[in-house]
Amino acid sequence: MADLRTDFVGIKSPNPFWLASAPPTDKEYNVRRAFEAGWGGVVWKTLGLDPHVVNVNGPRYGAIWGPDRRLIGLNNIELITDRPLEVNLREIKAVKRDYPDRAMIVSLMVPCEEECWKGILPLVEETGADGIELNFGCPHGMSERGMGSAVGQVPEYIEMVTRWCKQATRMPVIVKLTPNITDIRRPARAAKAGGADAVSLINTINSIMGVNLDDFSPEPSIDGKGSHGGYCGPAVKPIALNMVSEIARDPETAGLPISGIGGITTWRDAAEFMALGAGSVQVCTAAMTYGFRVVQEMISGLSGWMDEKGHRTLSDIVGRAVPNVTDWNQLNLNYVAKAKINQDLCIKCGRCYAACEDTSHQAIAMKDGRVFEVIDEECVACNLCVNVCPVEGCIDMVPLAPGEVDPRTGKVVSGEYANWTTHPNNPAAKAAE
Amino acid sequence: MTHPSLTPGIVPGRLSAEEIAANFADLHPPLSDHEAHVEADRCYFCHDAPCVTACPTSIDIPMFIRQIAADNAKGAARTIFEQNILGGMCARVCPTEQLCEEACVRQTAEGDPVKIGRLQRYATDAMMAVNAHPFERAAPTGKRVAVVGAGPAGLACAHRLAMKGHEVVVFDARPKPGGLNEYGIAAYKTVDGFAQAEVDWLLRIGGIEIRTGQRLGAEISLEALRAEYDAVFLGIGLGGVNALRVEGEDAEGVRPAVEFIADLRQAQDLSKLPIGRDVVVIGGGMTAIDAAVQAKALGAENVTLVYRRGRERMSASRYEQDLAASRGVVLKFNARPVRILANGAARAVEFEYVAEGPDGLRPLGETFTLRADQVFKAIGQTLVPVEGLALEGGKIAVTGAGRTSLDGVWAGGDCAAGGDDLTVTAVAEGRDAAEDIHAKLMEG
């Protein structure tokens, strides 16, 4: 049985699955239920200074769905905790006392002033919490007040606040990053420079979920008006994966621990984040959608996969995919593949044909009896046919072996690796050695 | 006193009104919005989709399903009606399991096609519920066309002609328009007076006058119509029925299934409609199934459908066979009637077992007898001949889009040679004949 125990910057938890700082971790009642369900840790919903904030009294969440109402993306305009600081601190202390083996991280967001940060840290320490997460990510509401993503979008502020906190507390400091920037590496570098023990990402993405076409109000609508909210859920996972990998492979931040967040719904999502360098993962939308029990599937799935593959501990998988993330100019241009349609599996819908005709390279022939065949002379192996085919495994991309002739180019496939940096069409190419 | 369900002979009220209402409830209740969206999402939007090819009216099925998925049910309805103005009825009565849904790639893939018929009903219901008619008439052409028969072929033809700006008069022998939609389809497939509602909706195009009680060869003649109108379309269906040609056929209680179905469709109160305790239906098509299932639904204790060939030769689909079986109809194959035993009224039918061979049906030398106080004959219908028209295989011979041997006379639907005897085929033939009539009338 795989060992899922996690030690993330000294914060220990029985498994890498933490609940992200969000509505499900706003109070003792929920967090106790989460721990009973099996979550390895929680990041308590962001604390602020009193007087506590207030929330809107109308819809604070919006969603997009698949046709069967499967929730694909969620957004929210909820602010940080709207309960008094003292209440949250008391509850954090009580829960940590009763669940000493679980990770208890406290998310914080106070004004960008040194005394505010230095004032709240001892109060958090006193709860026995294992660490803090600086919320520099929240994109709505709080950012209008100079907090949240307003800090996270300015690397100098990130570095400054991180340094204040590191100077003032024994607790590990995790900096939560906003994706609402152009280059995620800059805020990550700033966090590292400020002494952060780790970064967590992504926070939610600025979003409008839709527009009501009867009254022309954005959704979710509060009395006919809407405000951009933070987007999360399965739809944001690819964006988050990329940002995690960017930090993991940046020489300036390589080795900086990462807590991965963004649309994690199943064990597989979690494993992918971990393979790209996340030492722990944080989940929110899946728990909000399906309830806390989803963690049991994640634990079972991750350990089952690890057992099957012979991975004993999480260190066997964390970061394993990072070396395989490269710049485009490092991709092997001598790798040649062709689409191959398995006629036994084909159900003759013709979607591959339509896609190849209208988008790609007119490399699929439609023959009598609705038989669809790849024309190797035209196929550039773009993969679009695979992507649009409704039958899993019906179309494969089959690599040509070195020595074979590519019917499209008439050239013999080379077994040598060669990338764009040395390609003759590249004006800046360096001659191959 | 005998319980009404056990009363011998042909009597009404074998079941309570509630039981009858339940038995005649909508066979496929409408999809909810959510069900429709989920089902629509199953469509792969195939290239050159096989379902379209399989549809006699060539409805752009992937497009209308995509419109449903995009919450545009009325747009979907328009897509359907452009090809098939009786898309609402066809959604209810088409043997989709032998047409679009049989061709669906998901049938190939998983034996579970997209529910095209029910999605079509969802879309057409959406437009008809708000009583919207999607088309407008072209400017008047001054041409007048006579359509004989207000069934699916005639109505489709009339609508398309009216759209083109022609003036149309539709003649029908019966008291109500609709043809088999009104008189000949199982009631549970078209509930709540849908057939008449659909005719009323169709007529909103304008330019169509319906004259009922006008039978060709009686109140009207083809010769007179040709003289008075610029063109004539015949969608007169098959008005005759085949005889069994066995002893006892004229006994009381023996009648064509189509008559029984027509009576049933026109009955105001089904609990007052008489039905036998032991009912035998002879035949293997949709009419036989519809008669048998409805006999059972009215409370007949034993309903047996006997077909002279094997199950696979039945023209009623397997779906319909299973429907009948699930409603309690016993299906017997490879047997044909020898005689009807009667003492004034029918009391039994004697059958002989037969086998199908290269020279037709061969008796196997064994017989059986089924008790029967009511016998429905459903062994096919025949054309009532129209003077002056060439025939082919007992139907009106046509070339191209329904052109008959007489100049200026077109024909389509069941009365015309070629094509399956299906509502949807009749619609396609009526529509195509209208296009051809229009082209001809607008020449020079």
Side-chain angles (χ1 to χ4, degrees):
Chain A
M1 181 80 177
D3 181 357
L4 299 187
R5 281 177 305 168
T6 304
D7 182 341
F8 185 79
V9 296
I11 302 170
K12 293 185 171 58
S13 61
N15 62 57
F17 303 109
W18 300 353
L19 282 170
S21 169
T25 62
D26 191 27
K27 51 186 185 299
E28 180 176 354
Y29 179 86
N30 308 45
V31 174
R32 282 185 185 275
R33 284 175 57 79
F35 284 157
E36 288 304 312
W39 289 92
V42 303
V43 184
W44 199 277
K45 184 169 166 81
T46 308
L47 309 186
L49 296 182
D50 288 331
H52 58 80
V53 303
V54 296
N55 274 299
V56 294
N57 296 296
R60 51 181 89 168
Y61 306 121
I64 58 171
W65 303 270
D68 203 9
R69 295 284 286 188
R70 176 178 290 273
L71 190 141
I72 294 166
L74 184 74
N75 94 340
N76 81 91
I77 55 167
E78 182 172 294
L79 303 182
I80 62 174
T81 183
D82 57 7
R83 305 189 312 151
L85 179 60
E86 177 273 331
V87 171
N88 278 302
L89 292 170
R90 180 160 33 86
E91 291 183 3
I92 292 167
K93 187 172 185 174
V95 176
K96 180 63 194 178
R97 183 192 61 219
D98 290 349
Y99 294 90
D101 67 322
R102 310 301 172 92
M104 174 66 78
I105 296 99
V106 177
S107 175
L108 297 174
M109 184 197 292
V110 294
C112 219
E113 294 161 24
E114 189 167 5
E115 63 273 24
C116 292
W117 287 95
K118 291 194 168 166
I120 199 170
L121 291 172
L123 305 178
V124 176
E125 265 183 21
E126 203 274 325
T127 64
D130 300 299
I132 56 170
E133 185 180 78
L134 311 186
N135 181 344
F136 296 158
C138 196
H140 48 269
M142 302 310 290
S143 56
E144 297 171 14
R145 307 174 197 184
M147 293 181 267
S149 64
V151 177
Q153 288 166 337
V154 184
E156 293 78 6
Y157 292 171
I158 293 174
E159 182 177 343
M160 177 178 74
V161 177
T162 306
R163 184 168 288 122
W164 292 339
C165 293
K166 280 304 290 181
Q167 286 166 351
T169 181
R170 60 154 178 88
M171 295 181 290
V173 174
I174 303 168
V175 174
K176 187 165 181 179
L177 303 179
T178 174
N180 299 304
I181 42 86
T182 45
D183 184 350
I184 196 66
R185 294 173 302 180
R186 302 304 174 94
R189 288 170 190 163
K192 189 181 182 191
D197 296 280
V199 291
S200 56
L201 71 161
I202 59 173
N203 205 308
T204 55
I205 303 172
N206 286 336
S207 56
I208 287 175
M209 297 309 279
V211 176
N212 183 314
L213 293 179
D214 293 322
D215 61 14
F216 293 101
S217 170
E219 302 278 10
S221 170
I222 304 290
D223 194 22
K225 306 281 186 202
S227 180
H228 70 81
Y231 191 42
C232 54
V236 311
K237 178 186 144 193
I239 297 167
L241 282 177
N242 175 58
M243 289 187 164
V244 166
S245 79
E246 286 289 292
I247 294 169
R249 74 190 188 91
D250 178 13
E252 291 190 40
T253 51
L256 179 65
I258 301 169
S259 188
I261 314 168
I264 294 167
T265 309
T266 68
W267 72 269
R268 183 179 290 276
D269 300 326
E272 291 172 15
F273 271 89
M274 299 183 91
L276 285 174
S280 74
V281 292
Q282 298 184 29
V283 176
C284 174
T285 309
M288 289 178 71
T289 310
Y290 303 107
F292 289 144
R293 272 166 25 86
V294 293
V295 73
Q296 290 157 24
E297 176 282 317
M298 295 180 189
I299 292 168
S300 142
L302 183 63
S303 62
W305 167 72
M306 287 174 65
D307 289 344
E308 212 168 276
K309 296 289 185 181
H311 305 305
R312 288 186 306 107
T313 68
L314 297 179
S315 58
D316 290 346
I317 60 170
V318 172
R320 283 284 291 275
V322 174
N324 294 329
V325 184
T326 76
D327 290 341
W328 191 96
N329 69 20
Q330 298 300 306
L331 298 176
N332 183 6
L333 295 176
N334 281 342
Y335 175 83
V336 181
K338 296 288 170 191
K340 182 137 184 65
I341 300 171
N342 181 332
Q343 298 297 342
D344 293 335
L345 293 179
C346 177
I347 60 171
K348 305 186 189 302
C349 69
R351 280 168 66 156
C352 58
Y353 177 80
C356 199
E357 282 292 297
D358 292 356
T359 295
S360 195
H361 289 68
Q362 297 77 48
I364 294 178
M366 181 173 173
K367 300 189 169 170
D368 284 350
R370 298 181 69 82
V371 174
F372 298 93
E373 285 177 2
V374 175
I375 305 165
D376 286 347
E377 288 74 13
E378 305 294 340
C379 177
V380 301
C382 73
N383 211 43
L384 184 62
C385 54
V386 174
N387 298 141
V388 303
C389 177
V391 181
E392 205 175 325
C394 178
I395 310 181
D396 279 328
M397 284 296 153
V398 182
L400 297 188
E404 282 189 73
V405 174
D406 177 355
R408 185 175 72 87
T409 59
K411 291 183 181 156
V412 175
V413 174
S414 165
E416 303 286 310
Y417 164 84
N419 65 40
W420 173 246
T421 62
T422 57
H423 195 278
N425 285 24
N426 179 358
K430 304 176 196 100
E433 296 291 315
Chain B
M1 187 185 148
T2 316
H3 188 274
S5 65
L6 303 180
T7 309
I10 305 172
V11 298
R14 292 188 179 276
L15 297 177
S16 70
E18 291 74 31
E19 287 169 307
I20 287 181
N23 288 349
F24 284 91
D26 207 339
L27 183 61
H28 298 296
L31 296 174
S32 69
D33 291 342
H34 180 76
E35 287 173 315
H37 288 144
V38 172
E39 190 59 26
D41 187 55
R42 295 184 65 233
C43 173
Y44 288 140
F45 203 72
C46 293
H47 173 77
D48 190 15
C51 55
V52 181
T53 311
C55 175
T57 54
S58 306
I59 292 170
D60 189 344
I61 294 164
M63 184 58 71
F64 93 66
I65 293 179
R66 190 168 178 79
Q67 288 168 306
I68 291 172
D71 209 16
N72 179 13
K74 292 194 197 74
R78 193 189 163 95
T79 301
I80 294 160
F81 290 135
E82 278 170 358
Q83 290 296 110
N84 181 337
I85 197 65
L86 295 179
M89 183 59 82
C90 288
R92 290 161 168 78
V93 305
C94 260
T96 52
E97 65 277 5
Q98 293 174 320
L99 299 169
C100 51
E101 292 179 18
E102 182 181 57
C104 177
V105 299
R106 293 199 88 133
Q107 172 65 34
T108 316
E110 59 209 55
D112 185 14
V114 176
K115 295 179 178 67
I116 299 169
R118 297 187 75 184
L119 286 169
Q120 178 165 321
R121 172 163 175 190
Y122 173 82
T124 52
D125 278 359
M127 184 176 278
M128 295 173 76
V130 296
N131 210 19
H133 193 89
F135 304 111
E136 286 181 11
R137 287 190 76 190
T141 61
K143 306 284 186 187
R144 300 179 70 231
V145 182
V147 170
V148 186
L155 289 171
C157 182
H159 184 272
R160 184 58 61 106
L161 288 167
M163 261 177 75
K164 302 282 188 189
H166 307 299
E167 245 183 85
V168 186
V169 179
V170 182
F171 301 88
D172 198 280
R174 305 231 201 202
K176 289 192 211 167
L180 289 179
N181 289 356
E182 174 61 34
Y183 293 93
I185 286 163
Y188 48 79
K189 290 179 182 170
T190 166
V191 300
D192 299 330
F194 180 78
Q196 283 313 296
E198 184 177 46
V199 173
D200 292 343
W201 171 86
L202 178 148
L203 293 178
R204 292 186 48 194
I205 187 69
I208 303 174
E209 183 194 340
I210 302 259
R211 294 185 196 166
T212 54
Q214 304 289 307
R215 184 180 299 274
L216 192 64
E219 290 81 7
I220 52 173
S221 74
L222 183 55
E223 199 179 348
L225 293 176
R226 289 181 75 200
E228 186 182 345
Y229 293 89
D230 297 298
V232 179
F233 175 82
L234 300 176
I236 54 177
L238 300 172
V241 291
N242 287 324
L244 291 172
R245 296 191 183 89
V246 297
E247 177 193 330
E249 189 170 0
D250 52 358
E252 198 182 312
V254 181
R255 64 190 302 216
V258 289
E259 280 181 27
F260 163 65
I261 294 170
D263 283 356
L264 188 149
R265 286 292 306 277
Q266 298 308 310
Q268 296 300 310
D269 181 354
L270 289 177
S271 63
K272 295 199 167 65
L273 193 70
I275 192 73
R277 178 176 171 179
D278 297 293
V279 175
V280 169
V281 180
I282 299 166
M286 285 300 305
T287 302
I289 295 274
D290 285 357
V293 172
Q294 295 187 113
K296 191 73 195 168
L298 286 173
E301 184 188 358
N302 299 303
V303 178
T304 311
L305 184 155
V306 185
Y307 177 52
R308 60 190 169 143
R309 297 197 176 94
R311 177 193 280 280
E312 65 291 343
R313 294 289 303 273
M314 268 184 97
S315 62
S317 68
R318 182 60 190 245
Y319 170 83
E320 293 286 345
Q321 296 171 32
D322 291 347
L323 173 72
S326 75
R327 299 289 176 98
V329 173
V330 175
L331 303 175
K332 282 193 78 73
F333 302 100
N334 299 305
R336 70 182 174 196
V338 181
R339 59 186 169 133
I340 293 167
L341 307 168
N343 48 7
R347 50 183 185 86
V349 186
E350 185 182 324
F351 290 90
E352 66 179 352
Y353 286 106
V354 291
E356 196 172 5
D359 306 320
L361 297 176
R362 178 169 50 85
L364 294 179
E366 194 177 320
T367 63
F368 63 95
T369 302
L370 294 175
R371 271 191 1 193
D373 36 35
Q374 199 164 26
V375 179
F376 294 132
K377 301 180 283 180
I379 56 169
Q381 288 137 256
T382 55
L383 178 72
V384 176
V386 182
E387 208 176 323
L389 287 173
L391 301 186
E392 178 189 335
K395 292 185 169 194
I396 300 171
V398 291
T399 55
R403 294 186 185 199
T404 69
S405 58
L406 285 179
D407 210 30
V409 180
W410 280 256
D414 291 357
C415 69
D420 296 321
D421 289 352
L422 295 173
T423 305
V424 65
T425 307
V427 171
E429 290 174 2
R431 175 199 69 192
D432 294 346
E435 291 288 349
D436 195 47
I437 292 168
H438 172 69
K440 186 85 176 169
L441 294 184
M442 302 313 282
E443 269 175 16

